[in-house]
């Protein structure tokens, strides 16, 4: 599903290239659950953002579902992105001015899904995450774990093939973290959604079936 | 999506209630100003536009080029209309429109006079109504304005005379004591927005004048309207016009006379010619107002942009998220425009309320019937929606483009700093611009106020206070009663002096004549002629430079000239002028005195060359100088004396001071408007400043707290923020000064008598702008600086 070849990313600081990622080669198959690990500043988030098309590599080839991304138009890329990728963040990143229900609904608006279809999908997700009673609350009225559940629900709303999660449990207590990880496992197993997560915790990494170790922008271990 | 965006927009607005209020308040005041200006301008431009043929209707006007100037006239020589009807095949219709006036007596059933009024009448012929499609309620133009013994009246006049317009047909009125006229037509009232306020119409064939065939004399009471044939342009008539002028005017004169076809739409807006309604609003004023409207809108939009970009920082996260979950730039743009357009729509609602409230005051100022009814003015609805779209888009475009252009990754890390990414400097530019506009307006207003004061206080060269001017009929019988009336009025206790005259020293009624001096050939300029008797100089307090005032006389026997004429005749010493001869008004007469220059028109114009003479049949006014304290008791007595000699005429009088004040009506209006709109713009600008400072203060809460922990005093913190704004305001002043200088000098150059531009207006503008800035900034930052630093730092 994802093929990275010789991906490089550097920032030019005062004329000098400062490399964040170097010679990254990686393959991620459909249905995999991959964890990216490594010390702080190693380039994990950068790599995830490149995979998620939020950022572009300075060099190298990135094929998503056998299409070379650099050859696609901006419009086409957004199209792929909208339909297939969902993001989950450490800081949840919900829109403060929107209720739970509306937050989940926004990506569906961008996909031009009909009103009735939107309503039913949002209702399903609320139901599934046991948030029906909270659907009219605003993010600041929820606990961290609940906010992250909304974040995941929002990522799932467009029915993506791939979920990218950047330290999704980084701000959560362990009980809530467990719940989120269980949810990821279930999504991966039962629905075949491909998941790539960044994590610091060995325990979280263990939920996945593969670990990508990143040190100073280089993949040291791809097990 | 639209509904959700709208909902979010509303929530966002509600969340930032303070800014929303500032935004809406500033914007709605600006919009209300624009709507008012729009209503006013569209009213002015709607004059004479109600006729089906309006694009083909032209008025023939006159123009003279002298060696030292030019003159514009709405009037044409009396024989012109019918000559043009013969000579111009390109014209479908030509109609004379002659103004006249006199006393109208309305009779009751028994033949007794039941009403006596002084009326303005118009003479024309049926072709006038082929040009202007006026609705006739009864009768036809052919029946009514062909024969000299018939009259047509407007619906309003019919009701006034006979109580009901259906009753009017067949009734009789007496015009000027002797003309028995039968009402044979009633036409619909002309709207307020008409340059020809026709109430009473007589047949042109009944118009009598001794110069009916005279091409050398032009009165502003004689107009001529033409209807061009379909497809013709005035330019197509130029050749014919040249031949026409050659045919009727001798070309040995130094004065070059021309006639132009003035489009109907320009009659109300070209103040050089004037019209029968006596109402003009020059394009200069219209453009001036439109510019003020634009400035208003601009300041309001700048507020909006400033506040929205300041808010953008707070919204970068939302933008980041929206991008991450699939929103593209276009959708974000739509979202932000939805917000700004929603906001401007609310502002519009509020603006409508403000407009409704202010409109009566505005129509009072213009003495016009302005109304704000959406139903009758679909164009106004279109204008208002265009306004909402314009403001929404203009105000939204910058924040929308900046916000939607955020890199999502950076936005989510809260690393977008609008301050550094151009938004901050743009905001500074906008603030400077806004304040530059404000400074220009403040300084401009100060200059206008100074000039008005100067004109009020400037010595006119004669005494105008407590002088009543009473109208005198001057037919041959009335003239015989002048002396006795004058004597009786002069005998009233409290009356200081009485003079018979044609007009006062300063008047808008100026009669000019050609004349010759030391030659048989006419001079290449005209003189202003004023008739005044032996008491004229005393009554108006005119002072002589040489010779003596006019002596008692019934006919033109001698002249007094003014200084300006003396100089134009190249006479250096006033004494030398006395004893010279001038041929004017058909007589060669000696100069007996030179009078010191007095302002004979408004202060906008210079002094004309004038000859004063004493001749009874030129007199048409009685000037009565009184003791100020006795004016109210004297006026009825004067009226009673007048009525006892002229029972068939209608008394009317006015004060010279009021008359002089009327010259400056448009200055008073423009001055008032400028003061109001300058006030509004200042209000908007400072509203915006307040909003902006609030943002800066909120953003700097943490910085202020840290500084405080490090030992800064509250005052030092307030000063720190003040100094950055003061720099901007000083810069704005620097930008504004040259602009103000150029604009104001140009405005002042329209006055022959004007103040010297000094530093004051600029200083006043600077002090006001600085003062308000310091006040606003201090007020807002004091709160932030006073806050307990621990609270601010704990939040992190
Ligand atoms: N916009 C940027 N400009 C310069 N350097 C950056 C930028 N963004 C990230 N970096 C650098 O790239 C490196 C990797 O960052 P990141 O991918 O966030 O690391 P991780 O998520 O592994 O902690 C860091 O050293 C960071 O300083
Ligand atoms: Mg990271």
């Amino acid at each position: 599903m994802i093929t990275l070849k010789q991906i490089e990313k550097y920032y030019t600081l005062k004329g000098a290239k400062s490399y964040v990622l170097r010679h990254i080669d990686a393959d991620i198959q459909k249905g995999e659950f991959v964890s990216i690990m490594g010390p702080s500043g190693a380039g994990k988030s950068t790599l995830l953002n490149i995979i998620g098309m939020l950022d572009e590599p300075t060099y190298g080839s990135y094929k998503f579902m056998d299409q070379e991304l650099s050859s696609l138009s901006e419009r086409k890329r957004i199209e792929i992105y909208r339909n297939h990728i969902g993001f989950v963040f450490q800081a949840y990143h919900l829109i403060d001015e929107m209720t739970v229900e509306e937050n989940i609904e926004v990506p569906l608006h961008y996909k031009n899904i009909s009103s009735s279809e939107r309503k039913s999908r949002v209702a399903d997700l609320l139901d599934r995450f046991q948030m029906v009673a909270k659907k009219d609350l605003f993010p600041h009225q929820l606990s961290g774990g609940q906010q992250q559940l909304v974040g995941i629900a929002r990522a799932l709303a467009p029915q993506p093939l791939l979920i990218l999660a950047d330290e999704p449990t980084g701000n959560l207590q362990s009980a809530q973290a467990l719940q989120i990880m269980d949810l990821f496992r279930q999504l991966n197993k039962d629905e075949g959604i491909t998941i790539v997560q960044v994590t610091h915790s060995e325990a979280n990494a263990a939920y996945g079936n593969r670990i990508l170790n990143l040190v100073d922008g280089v993949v040291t271990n791809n097990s | 999506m639209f509904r959700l965006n709208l909902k979010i927009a509303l929530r966002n607005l509600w969340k930032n209630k303070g800014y929303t209020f500032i935004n809406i308040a500033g914007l709605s005041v600006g919009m209300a100003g624009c709507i008012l200006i729009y209503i006013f301008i569209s009213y002015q431009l709607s004059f004479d536009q109600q006729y089906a043929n309006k694009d083909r209707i032209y008025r023939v006007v006159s123009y003279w080029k002298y060696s030292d100037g030019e003159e514009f006239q709405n009037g044409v020589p009396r024989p012109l209309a019918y000559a043009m009807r013969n000579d111009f095949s390109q014209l479908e219709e030509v109609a004379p429109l002659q103004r006249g006036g006199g006393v109208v007596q309305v009779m009751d059933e028994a033949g007794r006079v039941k009403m006596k009024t002084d009326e303005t009448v118009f003479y024309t012929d049926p072709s006038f109504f082929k040009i202007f499609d006026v609705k006739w309620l009864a009768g036809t133009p052919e029946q009514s304005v062909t024969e000299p013994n018939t009259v047509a009246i407007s619906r309003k006049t019919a009701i006034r005379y006979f109580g009901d317009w259906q009753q009017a047909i067949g009734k009789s009125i007496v015009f000027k004591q002797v003309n028995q006229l039968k009402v044979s037509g009633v036409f619909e009232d002309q709207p307020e927005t008409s340059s020809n306020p026709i109430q009473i119409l007589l047949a042109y064939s009944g118009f009598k004048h001794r110069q009916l065939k005279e091409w050398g004399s032009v009165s502003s009471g004689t107009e001529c309207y033409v209807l061009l044939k379909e497809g013709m342009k005035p330019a197509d008539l130029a050749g014919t016009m040249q031949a026409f002028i050659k045919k009727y005017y001798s070309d040995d004169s130094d004065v070059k006379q021309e006639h132009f076809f003035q489009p109907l739409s320009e009659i109300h807006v070209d103040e050089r010619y004037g019209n029968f309604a006596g109402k003009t609003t020059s394009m200069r004023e219209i453009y001036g107002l439109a510019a003020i409207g634009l400035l208003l809108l601009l300041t309001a939009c700048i507020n909006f942009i400033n506040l929205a970009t300041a808010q953008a920082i707070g919204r970068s996260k939302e933008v980041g998220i929206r991008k991450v979950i699939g929103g593209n730039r276009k959708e974000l743009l739509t979202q932000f425009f939805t917000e700004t357009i929603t906001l401007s729509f609310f502002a519009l609602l509020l603006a409508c309320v403000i407009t409704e409230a202010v409109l009566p005051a505005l129509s009072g100022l213009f003495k016009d019937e302005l109304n704000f009814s959406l139903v009758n003015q679909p164009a106004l609805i279109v204008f208002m929606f265009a306004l909402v779209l314009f403001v929404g888009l203009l105000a939204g475009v910058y924040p929308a483009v900046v916000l939607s252009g955020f890199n999502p990754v950076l936005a989510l890390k809260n690393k977008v700093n609008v301050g550094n990414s151009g938004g901050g400097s743009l905001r500074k530019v906008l603030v400077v611009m806004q304040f530059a506009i404000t400074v220009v307006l403040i300084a401009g207003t100060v200059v206008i106020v100074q000039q008005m004061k100067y004109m009020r206080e400037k010595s006119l060269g004669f005494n105008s206070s407590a002088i009543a001017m009473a109208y005198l009929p001057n037919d041959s019988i009335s003239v015989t009663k002048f002396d006795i009336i004058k004597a009786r009025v002069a005998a009233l206790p409290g009356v200081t002096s009485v003079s018979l005259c044609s007009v006062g020293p300063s008047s808008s009624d100026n009669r000019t004549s050609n004349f010759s001096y030391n030659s048989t050939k006419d001079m290449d300029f005209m003189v202003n002629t004023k008739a005044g008797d032996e008491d004229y100089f005393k009554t108006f307090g005119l002072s002589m430079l040489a010779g003596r005032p006019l002596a008692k006389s019934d006919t033109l026997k001698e002249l007094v000239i003014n200084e300006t004429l003396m100089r134009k005749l190249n006479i250096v010493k006033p004494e030398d002028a006395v004893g010279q001869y001038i041929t004017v008004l058909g007589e060669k007469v000696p100069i007996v005195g030179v009078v010191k220059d007095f302002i004979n028109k408004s202060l906008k114009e210079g002094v004309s060359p004038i000859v004063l003479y004493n001749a009874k049949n030129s007199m048409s006014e009685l000037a009565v100088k009184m003791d100020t304290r006795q004016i109210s008791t004297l006026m009825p007595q004067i009226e009673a004396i007048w009525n006892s000699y002229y029972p068939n005429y209608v008394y009317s009088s006015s004060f010279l001071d009021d008359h002089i004040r009327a010259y400056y009506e448009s200055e008073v209006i423009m001055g008032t408007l400028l003061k109001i709109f300058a006030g509004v713009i200042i209000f908007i600008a400072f509203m915006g400043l307040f909003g902006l400072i609030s943002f800066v203060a909120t953003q700097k809460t943490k910085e202020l707290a840290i500084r405080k922990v490090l030992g800064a005093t509250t005052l030092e913190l307030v000063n720190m923020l003040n100094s950055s704004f003061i720099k901007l305001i000083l810069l704005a002043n620097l930008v504004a000064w040259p602009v103000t200088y150029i604009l104001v000098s140009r405005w002042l150059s329209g006055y022959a008598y004007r103040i010297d531009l000094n530093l004051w207006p600029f200083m006043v503008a600077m002090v006001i702008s600085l003062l308000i800035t310091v006040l606003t900034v201090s007020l807002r930052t004091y709160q932030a600086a006073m806050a307990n630093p621990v609270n601010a730092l704990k939040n992190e």
Side-chain angles (χ1 to χ4, degrees):
Chain A
M1 177 178 209
I2 293 169
T3 312
L4 302 172
K5 277 218 177 71
Q6 291 295 309
I7 292 288
E8 292 196 350
K9 174 85 185 173
Y10 57 80
Y11 293 100
T12 319
L13 279 175
K14 290 177 191 140
K17 290 177 184 173
S18 127
Y19 278 93
V20 179
L21 297 174
R22 293 193 117 143
H23 312 300
I24 305 276
D25 287 314
D27 263 306
I28 295 170
Q29 304 301 324
K30 198 166 182 312
E32 273 197 289
F33 187 162
V34 178
S35 303
I36 301 175
M37 295 192 75
S40 190
K44 306 183 294 292
S45 296
T46 309
L47 180 58
L48 199 72
N49 288 340
I50 287 175
I51 294 174
M53 302 173 201
L54 296 180
D55 210 345
E56 278 173 38
T58 348
Y59 179 84
S61 127
Y62 173 15
K63 281 190 178 143
F64 185 84
M65 304 209 322
D66 299 327
Q67 296 190 71
E68 178 59 49
L69 283 185
S70 54
S71 69
L72 294 180
S73 67
E74 173 82 24
R75 171 182 229 140
K76 195 91 194 165
R77 213 153 51 212
I78 288 190
E79 194 62 38
I80 295 178
Y81 173 83
R82 266 184 196 173
N83 287 320
H84 303 307
I85 298 177
F87 252 98
V88 176
F89 300 93
Q90 177 176 1
Y92 330 127
H93 290 331
L94 301 177
I95 297 180
D96 299 332
E97 290 76 26
M98 290 187 181
T99 62
V100 166
E101 189 179 23
E102 287 162 354
N103 262 295
I104 299 173
E105 200 182 343
V106 189
L108 300 178
H109 277 290
Y110 290 132
K111 275 186 76 173
N112 286 330
I113 287 171
S114 74
S115 163
S116 54
E117 171 78 14
R118 282 200 313 261
K119 292 281 171 264
S120 81
R121 279 206 209 173
V122 173
D124 281 351
L125 285 164
L126 285 169
D127 205 27
R128 176 160 164 198
F129 291 173
Q130 279 131 42
M131 303 283 284
V132 179
K134 303 201 165 55
K135 71 179 170 50
D136 291 324
L137 297 184
F138 287 91
H140 66 91
Q141 295 167 311
L142 301 177
S143 75
Q146 286 166 336
Q147 287 190 50
Q148 193 58 297
L149 280 178
V150 177
I152 294 170
R154 182 180 62 184
L156 288 174
Q159 299 174 340
L161 298 175
L162 172 66
I163 284 198
L164 301 171
D166 195 345
E167 302 187 39
T169 61
N171 286 6
L172 299 179
Q173 287 152 8
S174 49
Q176 291 173 320
L178 271 177
Q179 189 192 358
I180 299 293
M181 291 318 296
D182 282 335
L183 183 59
F184 275 156
R185 176 163 24 200
Q186 188 196 338
L187 289 172
N188 180 246
K189 286 252 156 63
D190 302 352
E191 295 178 30
I193 297 178
T194 313
I195 296 180
V196 179
Q197 68 164 347
V198 169
T199 182
H200 281 298
S201 128
E202 296 285 346
N204 284 353
Y207 280 81
N209 53 10
R210 186 145 76 90
I211 294 177
L212 224 81
N213 254 315
L214 207 56
V215 177
D216 283 342
V218 183
V219 178
T220 55
N221 181 351
N222 193 342
S223 62
Chain B
M1 197 73 206
F2 176 75
R3 262 188 37 217
L4 184 64
N5 275 344
L6 192 68
K7 209 153 81 183
I8 300 308
L10 291 179
R11 263 183 223 154
N12 256 320
L13 296 178
W14 186 246
K15 196 170 118 195
N16 302 310
K17 283 186 277 296
Y19 312 120
T20 305
F21 173 75
I22 288 175
N23 248 337
I24 291 190
L27 202 55
S28 53
V29 171
M31 280 179 157
C34 278
I35 295 175
L36 285 170
I37 289 173
Y38 174 86
I39 292 176
F40 176 73
I41 291 180
S42 69
Y43 174 79
Q44 298 300 343
L45 296 182
S46 73
F47 267 76
D48 305 316
Q49 293 304 294
Q50 68 269 30
Y51 304 105
N53 294 331
K54 62 180 158 63
D55 297 325
R56 289 194 289 141
I57 301 176
Y58 291 79
R59 182 172 73 170
V60 183
V61 292
S62 304
Y63 171 83
W64 294 269
K65 182 119 193 77
Y66 306 126
S67 59
D68 65 339
E70 51 185 1
E71 193 181 333
F72 299 86
Q73 252 269 29
N74 65 320
V76 290
R78 291 177 191 85
L80 177 132
Y82 289 143
M84 222 170 223
R85 190 178 283 177
N86 268 331
D87 295 7
F88 281 75
S89 59
Q90 303 93 325
L91 300 177
E92 194 170 308
E93 296 291 341
V94 179
L97 185 64
Q98 171 68 46
R99 182 171 58 186
V103 175
V104 166
Q105 290 162 317
V106 183
M107 308 300 173
D108 65 8
E109 315 294 308
R112 282 181 310 242
V113 178
K114 72 166 184 182
M115 189 192 254
K116 185 182 84 173
T117 67
D118 200 2
E119 300 278 10
T120 297
V121 305
F122 288 92
Y123 299 86
T124 190
D125 67 22
S127 51
F128 184 81
F129 296 96
K130 298 205 178 92
I131 303 177
F132 295 96
D133 51 330
V134 173
K135 189 176 171 222
W136 284 68
L137 302 172
T140 63
E142 282 73 17
Q143 289 167 357
S144 306
V145 287
T146 310
E147 296 298 322
N149 56 354
T150 58
V151 61
I153 53 182
S154 71
R155 179 207 286 261
K156 228 192 304 184
T157 309
I159 293 172
R160 194 153 51 92
Y161 288 176
F162 307 108
D164 184 358
W165 69 262
Q166 280 95 346
Q167 305 282 310
I169 297 291
K171 294 268 167 52
S172 286
I173 60 174
V174 175
F175 178 56
K176 286 187 171 176
Q177 329 304 345
V178 289
N179 305 303
Q180 182 97 19
L181 302 172
K182 195 181 203 157
V183 178
S184 56
V186 178
F187 52 90
E188 191 56 88
D189 292 323
Q190 295 304 288
E192 275 287 307
T193 52
S194 171
S195 294
N196 293 317
I198 300 174
Q199 299 288 349
I200 301 174
L201 262 182
L202 275 62
Y204 190 76
S205 56
F207 177 64
K208 302 275 179 290
H209 197 280
R210 64 197 151 84
Q211 291 172 314
L212 215 50
K213 299 260 173 305
E214 193 63 61
W215 283 85
S217 129
V218 174
S219 152
S220 59
T222 311
E223 287 193 352
C224 171
Y225 283 91
V226 300
L227 181 67
L228 260 59
K229 280 190 175 149
E230 208 89 58
M232 282 286 167
K233 292 185 300 294
D236 303 334
L237 281 67
T240 321
M241 181 59 94
Q242 235 168 9
F244 184 83
I245 287 173
K246 215 177 178 126
K247 180 170 166 190
Y248 294 102
Y249 298 103
S250 64
D251 43 39
D252 63 338
S253 162
D254 283 339
V255 182
K256 195 165 174 302
Q257 164 133 24
E258 283 187 65
H259 293 295
F260 301 129
F261 293 99
Q262 180 188 38
L264 185 64
S265 60
E266 286 177 17
I267 291 178
H268 181 68
V269 294
D270 193 337
E271 81 286 6
R272 296 173 306 176
Y273 293 104
N275 56 55
F276 285 149
K279 287 190 269 190
T280 53
T281 303
S282 67
M283 278 322 271
R284 210 176 78 150
E285 284 171 79
I286 289 177
Y287 286 134
L289 271 176
I292 290 182
L294 267 180
L295 287 183
L296 262 177
L297 210 55
L298 198 65
T299 4
C301 283
I302 289 179
N303 264 3
F304 208 120
I305 296 172
N306 269 341
L307 292 176
T309 41
Q311 261 185 296
I313 303 163
R315 301 201 49 190
S316 62
K317 188 184 142 196
E318 182 194 332
V319 173
I321 297 170
R322 281 180 179 271
K323 283 201 154 181
V324 165
I325 56 184
N328 64 15
R329 195 152 187 179
K330 206 175 88 204
E331 284 149 343
L332 285 165
L333 285 175
T334 318
Q335 185 200 338
F336 287 113
F337 282 131
T338 310
E339 284 182 27
T340 49
I341 290 173
T342 309
L343 202 57
S344 39
F345 184 74
F346 283 124
L348 177 70
L349 295 184
L350 196 58
C352 287
V353 176
I354 299 175
T355 307
E356 274 286 5
V358 175
L359 206 60
L362 186 77
S363 34
L365 183 65
F366 289 108
K367 302 184 177 67
D368 273 326
E369 281 293 315
L370 298 178
N371 58 62
F372 180 48
S373 118
L374 294 174
V375 195
N376 312 341
Q377 286 161 289
L380 188 57
I381 304 186
V382 173
F383 172 75
M384 292 199 303
F385 280 93
L387 197 63
V388 165
L389 270 185
F390 175 77
V391 173
L393 292 180
L394 183 70
V397 72
Y398 183 76
V401 167
V402 169
L403 284 175
S404 67
F406 282 163
N407 175 321
V409 180
L410 295 181
L412 286 178
K413 281 195 199 158
N414 251 330
K415 276 199 178 154
V416 231
N417 188 341
V418 177
N420 296 337
S421 66
S425 47
L426 178 97
R427 220 150 66 219
K428 281 179 191 150
V429 170
L430 290 178
V431 168
V432 169
M433 214 162 102
Q434 204 176 24
F435 276 86
I437 294 174
T438 315
V439 167
V440 171
L441 282 172
I442 298 177
T445 309
V446 174
V447 170
I448 291 189
V449 169
Q450 282 184 338
Q451 172 70 13
M452 298 296 291
K453 180 163 178 281
Y454 171 81
M455 290 198 291
R456 258 199 319 276
E457 292 170 359
K458 161 104 183 118
S459 160
L460 298 174
F462 65 94
N463 193 339
S464 64
S465 73
I467 296 179
M469 307 289 290
Y471 150 79
L472 292 174
N474 73 348
D475 53 284
S476 50
I477 300 163
S478 301
V479 167
T480 60
K481 298 170 181 166
F482 284 177
D483 286 330
I484 177 73
I485 292 176
K486 180 181 167 186
R488 284 198 56 192
V489 171
L492 292 171
V495 169
T496 333
S497 174
V498 182
S499 165
L500 292 165
C501 57
S502 59
V503 288
S506 171
S507 168
S508 51
D509 182 5
N510 286 286
R511 294 163 206 186
T512 53
S513 166
N514 42 8
F515 75 108
S516 62
Y517 169 69
N518 280 347
S519 157
T520 50
K521 210 176 155 202
D522 280 353
M523 296 294 286
D524 62 356
F525 64 94
M526 314 266 263
V527 280
N528 192 310
T529 61
K530 282 180 195 291
D533 66 7
E534 61 281 8
D535 294 320
Y536 193 77
F537 297 78
K538 189 173 78 185
T539 307
F540 294 105
L542 301 175
S543 46
M544 303 298 294
L545 290 177
R548 58 166 174 84
L550 294 163
K552 195 168 163 57
S553 164
D554 282 348
T555 53
L556 170 57
K557 291 216 177 72
E558 56 188 28
L559 295 176
V560 167
I561 64 171
N562 73 344
E563 239 179 305
T564 301
L565 176 57
M566 179 191 84
R567 257 182 276 116
K568 291 194 94 153
L569 296 176
N570 289 321
I571 304 173
V572 182
K573 283 188 7 216
E575 292 74 28
D576 298 344
V578 178
Q580 304 272 11
Y581 280 80
I582 282 180
T583 307
V584 66
L585 300 171
E587 304 283 341
K588 183 169 181 181
V589 286
I591 298 169
V592 296
V594 178
V595 66
K596 195 167 181 293
D597 267 347
F598 53 86
I599 308 291
N600 72 307
K601 292 181 180 170
S602 80
L603 290 163
K604 284 179 234 182
E605 292 131 302
V607 175
S608 323
I610 300 171
V611 296
L612 291 142
Y613 65 99
N614 193 351
K616 200 137 276 166
N617 63 5
S618 296
M619 305 304 184
S620 55
E621 282 186 283
L622 186 70
V624 186
K625 169 113 180 127
M626 304 172 257
D627 178 354
T628 320
R629 285 160 300 177
Q630 300 190 49
I631 291 177
S632 54
T633 51
L634 280 171
M635 291 307 283
Q637 296 180 47
I638 297 169
E639 182 170 356
I641 293 172
W642 195 96
N643 277 327
S644 68
Y645 290 97
Y646 300 127
N648 291 329
Y649 291 90
V650 180
Y651 175 81
S652 77
S653 70
S654 60
F655 285 94
L656 189 55
D657 275 340
D658 294 338
H659 187 76
I660 292 171
R661 214 167 292 133
Y663 296 154
Y664 308 114
E665 216 160 75
S666 93
E667 275 77 12
V668 170
I669 291 175
M670 282 312 269
T672 313
L673 277 186
L674 208 66
K675 273 187 237 171
I676 294 172
F677 286 120
V680 169
I681 289 186
I682 293 171
F683 169 78
I684 295 175
F686 285 101
M687 203 89 162
L689 187 66
F690 189 82
L692 202 58
I693 291 166
S694 301
F695 258 116
V696 173
T698 317
Q699 267 179 1
K700 295 212 166 178
T701 312
K702 194 177 159 199
E703 182 192 331
L704 292 176
I706 294 172
R707 283 176 185 273
K708 224 177 160 185
V709 169
L710 296 177
T713 65
T714 304
L715 188 66
E716 279 165 340
L717 294 177
V718 171
N719 283 346
M720 183 185 90
L721 286 177
N722 254 330
S723 67
S724 62
F725 277 100
I726 287 174
K727 271 184 219 141
L728 292 184
I729 303 303
L730 286 177
L731 186 63
N733 272 280
L734 279 184
V735 172
W737 287 346
V739 178
T740 312
Y741 182 81
I742 293 167
L743 290 178
V744 160
S745 311
R746 272 190 57 186
W747 182 76
L748 281 176
S749 69
Y751 293 83
Y753 295 90
R754 55 176 179 259
I755 52 166
D756 291 323
L757 207 50
N758 51 30
L759 268 181
W760 269 111
F762 301 94
M763 290 297 124
V764 169
M766 185 167 84
V767 169
I768 293 184
S769 57
L770 279 179
L771 211 69
I772 302 187
T773 307
V774 170
L775 264 175
T776 320
V777 176
S778 305
L779 201 79
R780 192 59 192 81
T781 45
Y782 185 73
Q783 284 175 308
M786 277 297 282
N788 185 344
V790 178
N791 289 336
L793 293 176
K794 220 165 39 191
N795 274 341
E796 278 301 294

